[in-house]
Amino acid sequence: MWKNASLNPSIRPIPMEPTESPSSPRASASPDGPPHSGLLEVDASVVDDIVTLLSEGQRGMVLNLVADLYPADVALLLRRLPDEEARRLFRWLPPELGSDTLAEMEDAVRVGLLQGMAPEVLVDLIDALDTDDAADVLADLPDEVALQVLPDLEDTEDLTELLTYGEETAGGIMAREYVTVSPDATLREATEEVRRSAAEVDELYTAYVVDADGTLRGTVTLKQLLLSAGSVEVRDIMDPDFISVAPDVDQEEVARVVQRYDLVSVPVVDEGGRMMGRITIDDVVDVIRDEAEEDMQLMSGLTGQEETVDTAVQVSRGRLPWLIIGLVGSGLSGTVIGAFEATLQQAVVLATFIPIVTAMGGNAAVQSAAIAVQGLGAGELWLSDAFRRIGKEMLVALLNGIVVAGLLCGTVALLGLGNATALVATLALTMLAVSLVATTNGALIPFLLTWLGVDPASAMGPFVTTLNDILGLAIYFLIATALYL
């Protein structure tokens, strides 16, 4: 029996699995602090020492220093080294550590390290990786190199299939390594199958029950295998209610599913329900981090693809379009001010409040947009919630606008600026109107972008903030022309 998941018709329920992470031989714990990796902490002094040893060709000493590091720490070290020294150290690493480190690297760093490497060396490195990581490495290689390496890999067929899926889809992040058992097998036979597969499957949480044609019928946890009688058949204890995802589901949707149902792995199935692969929690954590970083960049007016290791030209190419958009928007704001030049000449005091008006609109829009973006990203808000959300934000804008207008107008009245009565009325109406318009825009645009298939985080970029500046200034000068002059 399938249970329906609310966000995607290709999602089906799966039992919650244990959350313990496998221990690492490099991790040690003490009663006075958290687990730590190895004996070496990567910092500036360590980087300097290793650069010196690399330049002197001290391979043994270098390898002794990095021997107890986690692959993630080695990846951090390689990232901090100059390019030539990083390539040298990577070529010195033992094959197993080199492969594990490769999986922990950012794409740009990985491309630089693999540049010019012999195809047979690449084959050895990639063969030691899980298929999902191996597919990522192949995707980073130049096409001609990838085509040369692919036929010589052990998992050529699986990798060829994985490379057909989008990089940010369930198919693009799934691994082909998983344990399957027959529903007719006894638990003793299933346990033996788990033991046989242990060498190939690193993170082992659940055995997937598939029938003769590969259709996923249920799941069996390791706890069930260990605690049930060996003579019992798998079909008698398997859980037929599970969540699965289709290979074309966006990776952000996969992350939401894993978070919502407290999973540590989720199977990927085709349209007929046949098992294709699985996505584990370590990949989901990477997805959550990448999506959060992308959203933060979009909110800051970046492309969402910038990395700290990018060259100056790459960074400039990603930022420049948004700066040009901001320049055009600022020019339009200036045009609005110029259109009311006569108004400013008659009442120069109005220019004093231009920064206040633009700041008020920008802050109000960012506040409402942030909540809308967060809710849409987490699946807590749907497109059907748009009008309800906008109505609530307008009420909030009205309340906040009254308070802000009261504070500003009270200050103006005390200072006696210009024609105080008319100026107070102008500012009061402006603060209310700008607050309402900017807050409504901030709440509406994320829903509109989602409907258009665009990341709603773009709603907090320079285009939208500049739009609120233009609208806010236009409202201000129209009200001032009507009431103050």
Side-chain angles (χ1 to χ4, degrees):
M1 180 181 70
W2 303 114
K3 294 180 181 177
N4 294 323
S6 58
L7 289 183
N8 195 301
S10 60
I11 299 170
R12 306 183 180 100
I14 197 170
M16 188 165 59
E17 297 174 313
T19 57
E20 292 84 356
S21 299
S23 60
S24 167
R26 292 189 178 93
S28 61
S30 70
D32 299 322
H36 59 278
S37 61
L39 302 174
L40 183 67
E41 181 179 353
V42 178
D43 56 21
S45 62
V46 169
V47 172
D48 291 340
D49 290 342
I50 289 182
V51 168
T52 301
L53 293 172
L54 286 168
S55 64
E56 296 174 354
Q58 299 290 338
R59 178 173 182 174
M61 294 184 67
V62 170
L63 294 181
N64 186 57
L65 283 173
V66 302
D68 291 328
L69 288 178
Y70 281 112
D73 293 327
V74 179
L76 174 60
L77 175 61
L78 289 167
R79 177 181 173 182
R80 304 299 300 184
L81 291 174
D83 292 344
E84 188 59 38
E85 282 75 8
R87 281 192 285 269
R88 183 178 302 170
L89 173 56
F90 183 70
R91 284 164 173 75
W92 284 358
L93 293 177
E96 182 178 357
L97 180 57
S99 293
D100 292 342
T101 301
L102 202 61
E104 301 290 342
M105 293 177 185
E106 296 177 354
D107 294 349
V109 178
R110 187 158 53 202
V111 169
L113 290 176
L114 298 179
Q115 186 176 5
M117 191 168 286
E120 57 271 16
V121 177
L122 290 174
V123 169
D124 292 338
L125 287 171
I126 296 173
D127 267 338
L129 295 171
D130 289 341
T131 49
D132 55 337
D133 294 324
D136 292 339
V137 174
L138 282 171
D140 291 337
L141 295 174
D143 291 343
E144 61 274 12
V145 177
L147 291 174
Q148 185 178 1
V149 169
L150 185 58
D152 296 328
L153 297 173
E154 294 178 359
D155 300 313
T156 299
E157 186 176 342
D158 289 339
L159 291 171
T160 301
E161 180 181 355
L162 290 178
L163 289 171
T164 63
Y165 297 109
E167 185 178 351
E168 297 185 353
T169 64
I173 62 174
M174 74 176 178
R176 297 283 288 177
E177 293 86 5
Y178 51 89
V179 179
T180 61
V181 295
S182 168
D184 300 322
T186 64
L187 294 192
R188 185 176 294 105
E189 294 169 336
T191 303
E192 286 301 318
E193 180 60 31
V194 170
R195 289 197 182 100
R196 284 193 295 270
S197 304
E200 297 181 0
V201 183
D202 290 337
E203 294 84 18
L204 187 53
Y205 311 113
T206 297
Y208 298 101
V209 184
V210 300
D211 57 21
D213 67 353
T215 302
L216 183 59
R217 297 301 183 187
T219 61
V220 178
T221 66
L222 295 185
K223 181 178 180 179
Q224 290 173 306
L225 289 176
L226 292 173
L227 299 183
S228 302
S231 59
V232 175
E233 289 189 350
V234 170
R235 68 169 68 254
D236 294 328
I237 67 164
M238 74 176 188
D239 192 331
D241 297 331
F242 56 87
I243 292 176
S244 64
V245 294
D248 57 351
V249 171
D250 188 87
Q251 63 175 10
E252 195 170 3
E253 178 72 10
V254 176
R256 280 199 291 265
V257 169
V258 170
Q259 179 269 330
R260 177 177 301 166
Y261 298 106
D262 296 325
L263 308 177
V264 291
S265 69
V266 59
V268 181
V269 300
D270 63 15
E271 293 180 356
R274 288 180 291 274
M275 188 79 181
M276 299 180 64
R278 64 165 188 160
I279 301 169
T280 52
I281 188 64
D282 57 318
D283 294 313
V284 173
V285 170
D286 291 340
V287 168
I288 293 172
R289 181 200 62 199
D290 292 343
E291 294 292 341
E293 290 176 351
E294 181 180 345
D295 286 348
M296 288 180 65
Q297 290 192 21
L298 289 172
M299 292 175 186
S300 302
L302 301 175
T303 61
Q305 304 297 324
E306 182 177 319
E307 297 183 1
T308 55
V309 296
D310 288 345
T311 65
V313 174
Q314 291 172 321
V315 172
S316 174
R317 190 165 54 235
R319 295 184 185 183
L320 193 57
W322 293 101
L323 292 177
I324 293 174
I325 291 174
L327 178 64
V328 172
S330 299
L332 292 175
S333 297
T335 301
V336 172
I337 296 175
F340 291 93
E341 181 180 358
T343 301
L344 285 173
Q345 289 177 346
Q346 295 179 56
V348 178
V349 70
L350 294 175
T352 305
F353 301 96
I354 289 177
I356 297 176
V357 171
T358 55
M360 176 69 179
N363 290 336
V366 166
Q367 288 176 343
S368 60
I371 298 302
V373 169
Q374 178 183 327
L376 289 166
E380 297 172 356
L381 291 177
W382 300 350
L383 286 176
S384 57
D385 296 323
F387 292 109
R388 179 177 61 83
R389 186 70 213 174
I390 292 170
K392 184 175 183 178
E393 289 290 347
M394 291 180 69
L395 178 58
V396 172
L398 183 61
L399 295 174
N400 290 344
I402 291 172
V403 174
V404 172
L407 291 173
L408 180 60
C409 293
T411 302
V412 171
L414 288 174
L415 295 177
L417 298 175
N419 183 348
T421 302
L423 186 57
V424 164
T426 297
L427 293 175
L429 285 177
T430 298
M431 289 295 101
L432 284 173
V434 168
S435 179
L436 282 169
V437 170
T439 302
T440 301
N441 281 342
L444 173 63
I445 292 177
F447 284 97
L448 180 61
L449 292 176
T450 300
W451 181 66
L452 293 173
V454 179
D455 193 322
S458 303
M460 297 179 67
F463 175 78
V464 176
T465 53
T466 303
L467 174 63
N468 282 315
D469 288 346
I470 296 171
L471 293 176
L473 289 172
I475 291 170
Y476 176 43
F477 284 115
L478 288 173
I479 292 176
T481 301
L483 296 183
Y484 190 73
L485 299 182

